[in-house]
Amino acid sequence: MKHQLKLGIPKGSLEKATIDLFSKAGWKIAVSSRNYFPSIDDPEIVCSLIRAQEMARYIESGVLDLGLTGYDWILENNSDVEVLSDLIYSKVSTRKARWVLAVPEDSPIKAIEDCRGKTISTELVNFTKKYFQDKNIPVNVEFSWGATEAKVVEGLVDAIVEVTETGSTIKAHGLKIIHTLLETNTKLLASKKSLKDPWKREKIAQIDMLLKGALNAGNMVGLKMNIPKESIERIITIIPSLTSPTIAELYNSQWLSLESVILESVAREIIPRLIDAGADGIIEYPLNKVVQKINQH
Amino acid sequence: MKHQLKLGIPKGSLEKATIDLFSKAGWKIAVSSRNYFPSIDDPEIVCSLIRAQEMARYIESGVLDLGLTGYDWILENNSDVEVLSDLIYSKVSTRKARWVLAVPEDSPIKAIEDCRGKTISTELVNFTKKYFQDKNIPVNVEFSWGATEAKVVEGLVDAIVEVTETGSTIKAHGLKIIHTLLETNTKLLASKKSLKDPWKREKIAQIDMLLKGALNAGNMVGLKMNIPKESIERIITIIPSLTSPTIAELYNSQWLSLESVILESVAREIIPRLIDAGADGIIEYPLNKVVQKINQH
Amino acid sequence: MKHQLKLGIPKGSLEKATIDLFSKAGWKIAVSSRNYFPSIDDPEIVCSLIRAQEMARYIESGVLDLGLTGYDWILENNSDVEVLSDLIYSKVSTRKARWVLAVPEDSPIKAIEDCRGKTISTELVNFTKKYFQDKNIPVNVEFSWGATEAKVVEGLVDAIVEVTETGSTIKAHGLKIIHTLLETNTKLLASKKSLKDPWKREKIAQIDMLLKGALNAGNMVGLKMNIPKESIERIITIIPSLTSPTIAELYNSQWLSLESVILESVAREIIPRLIDAGADGIIEYPLNKVVQKINQH
Amino acid sequence: MKHQLKLGIPKGSLEKATIDLFSKAGWKIAVSSRNYFPSIDDPEIVCSLIRAQEMARYIESGVLDLGLTGYDWILENNSDVEVLSDLIYSKVSTRKARWVLAVPEDSPIKAIEDCRGKTISTELVNFTKKYFQDKNIPVNVEFSWGATEAKVVEGLVDAIVEVTETGSTIKAHGLKIIHTLLETNTKLLASKKSLKDPWKREKIAQIDMLLKGALNAGNMVGLKMNIPKESIERIITIIPSLTSPTIAELYNSQWLSLESVILESVAREIIPRLIDAGADGIIEYPLNKVVQKINQH
Amino acid sequence: MKHQLKLGIPKGSLEKATIDLFSKAGWKIAVSSRNYFPSIDDPEIVCSLIRAQEMARYIESGVLDLGLTGYDWILENNSDVEVLSDLIYSKVSTRKARWVLAVPEDSPIKAIEDCRGKTISTELVNFTKKYFQDKNIPVNVEFSWGATEAKVVEGLVDAIVEVTETGSTIKAHGLKIIHTLLETNTKLLASKKSLKDPWKREKIAQIDMLLKGALNAGNMVGLKMNIPKESIERIITIIPSLTSPTIAELYNSQWLSLESVILESVAREIIPRLIDAGADGIIEYPLNKVVQKINQH
Amino acid sequence: MKHQLKLGIPKGSLEKATIDLFSKAGWKIAVSSRNYFPSIDDPEIVCSLIRAQEMARYIESGVLDLGLTGYDWILENNSDVEVLSDLIYSKVSTRKARWVLAVPEDSPIKAIEDCRGKTISTELVNFTKKYFQDKNIPVNVEFSWGATEAKVVEGLVDAIVEVTETGSTIKAHGLKIIHTLLETNTKLLASKKSLKDPWKREKIAQIDMLLKGALNAGNMVGLKMNIPKESIERIITIIPSLTSPTIAELYNSQWLSLESVILESVAREIIPRLIDAGADGIIEYPLNKVVQKINQH
């Protein structure tokens, strides 16, 4: 019988980023309005689009073998799944998102303890209930169908537990954050049962390695330059040591070619110093994947 | 102290229809992205935009005095509120919407009894659980965060309970309906506590009367024509008898002016017959409101 | 067996105007992306959305009983159908559209005779071929899949035959019109076979009457005013005579009430004169339908 | 030679409202992307689309005869034109807009006098300069090319003079209003030279009357009901007295027909009282125009 | 006189993909709504936007020298042109598109022979007529102006001949495919006359080579890694043999640098094996063009 | 105290291009509707979005340290700032934009001297006034709030001074260009005061170098190929000499690897010649930055 891996793609805000990441990792996924199952150019994989909120549920039950979703929704569903790796790929930043307790600027609630007996609206009901129980603060937690910030502004509830990256949306609603309950980011997670099947285990490891390779590449660039032989020592000290540069002699020349992979944010710092140190013809080029032994523990 | 009524406008699919209905009833509501409270041209009313799913909850608790939402969500929240009147104002039809049990065309589930032990996905979790309990059919009901039809097509669950007007979306997903659990339409509902306050009671009655007047007008038209005196008996038999027509003598003339309010779908049937019967200069004009004693019991 | 009329709604540029016209005539049609057959609130009618270009073809063959399309496409298909009435309902104007011969400003073609031996691009191939044959001017007529103006600007063909209302699009392409081949507007047309069936014949007549009534109403308004009895003669001369006004005596008063239906473009001219002549409390109100014996020959 | 009136339509935020108002007044204006001159169904009028900011300039110079623009821009251009009438037709409200002085919540500027020596950004440079000069407060006024609120938030300037209706946008930027410089609304204005031409004067008066008639109609509705003869006195006291109602005896009946034109916001108040007082079959219908002698001074 | 090549860009669904391909091949094409002729950064080329349906017609006649269109439309126009190369660049897949015969699920037509005497709607009229003639099956073929699937669903025709890539749109309409008439993909085609001009012949060859180079690059990636000298043999066997890798000695080191160009879908398979075999610092980078002698026969 | 550089990003038409350029230069800027200050991944920089028209004003006053804007707006504001470098990054072309004097095709104004006593509308009022003064041509220059071309077409003014890249918009309005007043492109400019601060001076130099590096890369590509040792001389003559290629010997082989950075428009010319000369396995890859000593004078 043909081997096949069932992969869950998170629908909605993470959908495009996930498909782009798989594209850089080497798999082309195409979503069609005509078809429930996004097509993928690997006959060994079948994709399904699943809400991030429900992903862990279907991986736990084994309906799916592998999927991506947020750590928050794994906790909310209290699902028994294997978390393989972190995939931090927010557009704006690499900060993690936070679920926070927020109240109006002029609320009498100043700290989490002041919530005693109050009504809190949130999408993350189970997690929030448990969090307050563990702290012995009795509260009334209501499920919010959306527009959670508005509810506390309009006076329908006393406080909210909402997710935010920078806090600016919460501030724009005239609210203030008084407590952080949870930090969260995207995880690659697998069914425990699937990991016991040798073929699935290896396939999952391949996907995991290449997704990480693609994610690494997003922050890195290739840098190549020509350097006079006599400047080699000085120049090597400028380039970050983690990745040893590739140096080759040039044909009939007193120059060397040096090539390295570095963080993009480092490139902007060292290029002026490399020019000062004698390097010339510096080019920087984009990368699809960076895979190193050092990443694969 | 100033009297004030807190009114909940259902956010989302019913929002525009509700605001249009209030406009015809005589209140201009304007929603602004800058403001949580839609403005209304009546200082005695404060509006809030609330999800249909959550409306009954806030009316029950008295945070709101009055609101509109579907019968389904009143049942789902099991809320103790006063239902004032039916407001059937779907765009396409005046049919009620239905929550139905649907399965794939080729499912082994042929009747509701076959759901025993199966997993069902729905947005209406509490109602569905209770419905199956009352029938003594044990099922596993899961909350669906949306795209419910897709879940059963993709094989994630065995059946769904979903809302539909014409059934065409369900059919387009390759599913078939095997049972209807609930018929639903929009209701005007009030807080029981608010109805005990005389000022609020009267204000609510005013809104109720004018909403009904506007709703009536949506299906009705004014019809006006000139008729020769000798044809009066014949013509009156053509016009539906519910509403007695207004007939006036014309100045210096053997003609009468006849005016009536009728259902728009009746107009297209009787206009050719009125012309045959001798009427002339028939005009039909639109109405904003139709208020009759007969509606106000 | 149940009687049923098959009605073709022209898809595309006429679609919305047609549905709006039927709505004012008394039939609510709803187009759904889920369904090929638009729904209509009359169980005796089944609607289909059909390209204007193909409408006459399917009415001729009897697949449809009744439909709306342009006179141009009836000629292009050379269809043997019954044309019932003109429905001029362009948004911008009540001008008819024209199919014209257009060439670049600096073309050597100055008149239709100069097309001898030239290549002409058009969507209306059959009609254009016949038109030139009848004039004994041999030309090469090519079917254009769209963007016809661009072809002559780019030098791919020598001239085009294209449809225009105001000529401004043609002028904006730097082209000039040198000949008008055809004036066209929307027609209501029926299958000859269907008109032999008495039930269908009557149903078609009903639709025809009410569409005309709705179309009339689009250009007309109701006008109502109070006038002193002594001014009645003077005021009646101001109001256009086609439609005799409805005049009623007021209760306990020396004033009369006068009501009339007039063209909207006339209203703006006579209202200042009516005020001068002593009328007061003039109101103008919109109409859905105007049906008069005089229209029904 | 043919008489012709050149009419300026304000481009941008007032454009749609102006075209809608002319439509209700009796003139259909169509704006085309192909043509600089919007078409109008009156051969005696030529329309131009003009920025509200520049309208008064071209009416003063006589390039245009008549136009609509805000009072603010008449003052800013210091134009010598004839203001004919107020046209208050904001969508949300009938409040006038205000140009206000705004500063950050925590600004040291607490009153207009504190602006001494400060930099102010505004689109209304000439008016603002003059306003501060008249108060003997020396300030540096800079022209703002847009996004004026952002400039003071970002600290580029000390204060702004900006237009607002409800103040909510200014508040949403974290600013506070400390002074109102000007209230403004839309005016119909004419060239002084044009008013000396008798034909133009009369044409302008016609347009002015019908625009006002249409504007009146926007807030008013027609109300019609049947009343028992014995209730006539009581019912008449309920209906606002400004406009005397039209009362007619019904044919062979003890009922009267009563018709009146009232403010829409009054209708919602009196309909319940009319039902209580014995009226029946109350219908409310929309109006296009309301023209009364009393409006024409 | 200046040499110039006239190039046809297919308008519509292939337009963006074609412009992107030329961009990677080295020519920047910009389409402007103001200009019929897209601009291109090569003074020796003039571009025109042409419908795919009409492209072959204008290349045959020599109005254009070179262009891109589908094989289907070359056959439909029966054009005598030179086909230079295949350009398969569908977004979703590299499958060819097919023109298929489709009928409703429950149609009595089960095979192509059952079409005898039936009516078929298609955009590809000439080809379809000839195809059935060659098989001696008399049918009535009608030109379809679009929405072809709907026609057979609505019962207006018996069958359709329509283009599809995956068959999913056809299936979504409730139709089934019973025969494939033609497989098609995009071709680069040239005028036979143009190929006799030496300058044009060489320019066309240049464009052809670079388009192919860009197309190759779309599926390929550059792979670079460091390998210990002792692992060289083992690693070389992992890398596909078509393209021999570039291996260089590193400066003062026992490592080699290996670089190769491989299919992207191969990269995801071999990267885990390369890591296992001792390679390190693997980077994958995107390519604009891949030109090899082996492609140029 | 922490060092910080205030950077102005031009809002509107240059905004996206500027953010993309900074991204290639190594700084990620994210604009949020919630925040006035775009975020940037460098704690030493604070960004503001500023209209291009106002940029020079705020850099002159020192409110900003560094910014990008057009040369035209530097002149219009007559600002005393330091222009660091040219950044030509128009999408369509690398042509500079021009401010031109345009009149209707049939205008009596044939040359700039004919403007004597005429009215000219423009956004660039100060510059235009000065330009005509310097030529001793008295004109009336009016500020245009937009849609400047329309004003001269409608006859509101005699001529306009407007910006254009290709002239096609002006031509499409039926206007002709009779004079060029100014060529303009984007400049990087700094506050003179800021350049006296050593830390700011160095930071500004870093940004300047990397922006130029990114800009260079936009037109250039990396080219890599294998060549037989005996062809090395011939092949080197084909590759443009500005940048000496990097040549490396291959391991155990008679081939060399050659790598060079060239203009993209050159690549398409030389690739066919390189293949002819014996090169094989040519790949072209995209670049992020190209920084050479030669650029940094």
Side-chain angles (χ1 to χ4, degrees), chain C residues 177-190:
Chain C
I177 294 174
I178 58 174
H179 190 80
T180 294
L181 289 78
L182 173 67
E183 291 205 327
T184 184
N185 67 307
T186 307
K187 306 283 185 187
L188 182 70
L189 59 162

Side-chain angles (χ1 to χ4, degrees), chain C residues 12-21 87-97 165-166 185-186 215 218-219 264, chain D residues 16 19-20 23 27-32 39-41:
Chain C
S13 66
L14 290 174
E15 183 176 331
K16 194 181 169 305
T18 299
I19 288 173
D20 288 351
L21 185 63
L87 301 169
I88 302 180
Y89 54 101
S90 145
K91 241 192 226 155
V92 181
S93 69
T94 55
R95 265 177 288 194
K96 294 187 170 191
E165 264 190 48
T166 63
N185 67 307
T186 307
L215 210 55
N219 301 316
E264 187 170 11
Chain D
K16 191 177 173 305
I19 288 172
D20 289 351
S23 173
W27 285 273
K28 303 303 170 213
I29 297 172
V31 175
S32 148
S39 71
I40 186 167
D41 63 345

Side-chain angles (χ1 to χ4, degrees), chain F residues 45-57:
Chain F
I45 304 179
V46 178
C47 295
S48 293
L49 273 178
I50 309 280
R51 293 256 165 176
Q53 294 96 328
E54 299 170 324
M55 183 72 75
R57 183 200 288 170

Side-chain angles (χ1 to χ4, degrees), chain A residues 31-50:
Chain A
V31 175
S32 147
S33 62
R34 289 284 183 213
N35 209 317
Y36 303 100
F37 301 96
S39 71
I40 186 167
D41 63 346
D42 183 337
E44 295 178 346
I45 304 178
V46 178
C47 296
S48 293
L49 272 179
I50 309 279

Side-chain angles (χ1 to χ4, degrees), chain C residues 2 9 16 29 70 77 91 93 120 171 196 240 244 249 264 266 278-279:
Chain C
K2 198 178 62 163
I9 307 294
K16 194 181 169 305
I29 295 173
N77 285 285
K91 241 192 226 155
S93 69
I120 296 171
K171 204 175 157 193
K196 288 175 189 146
S244 61
E249 272 183 284
E264 187 170 11
V266 166

Side-chain angles (χ1 to χ4, degrees), chain B residues 59-73:
Chain B
I59 290 177
E60 182 182 18
S61 73
V63 177
L64 299 174
D65 297 306
L66 186 71
L68 295 88
T69 193
Y71 182 53
D72 40 7
W73 294 108

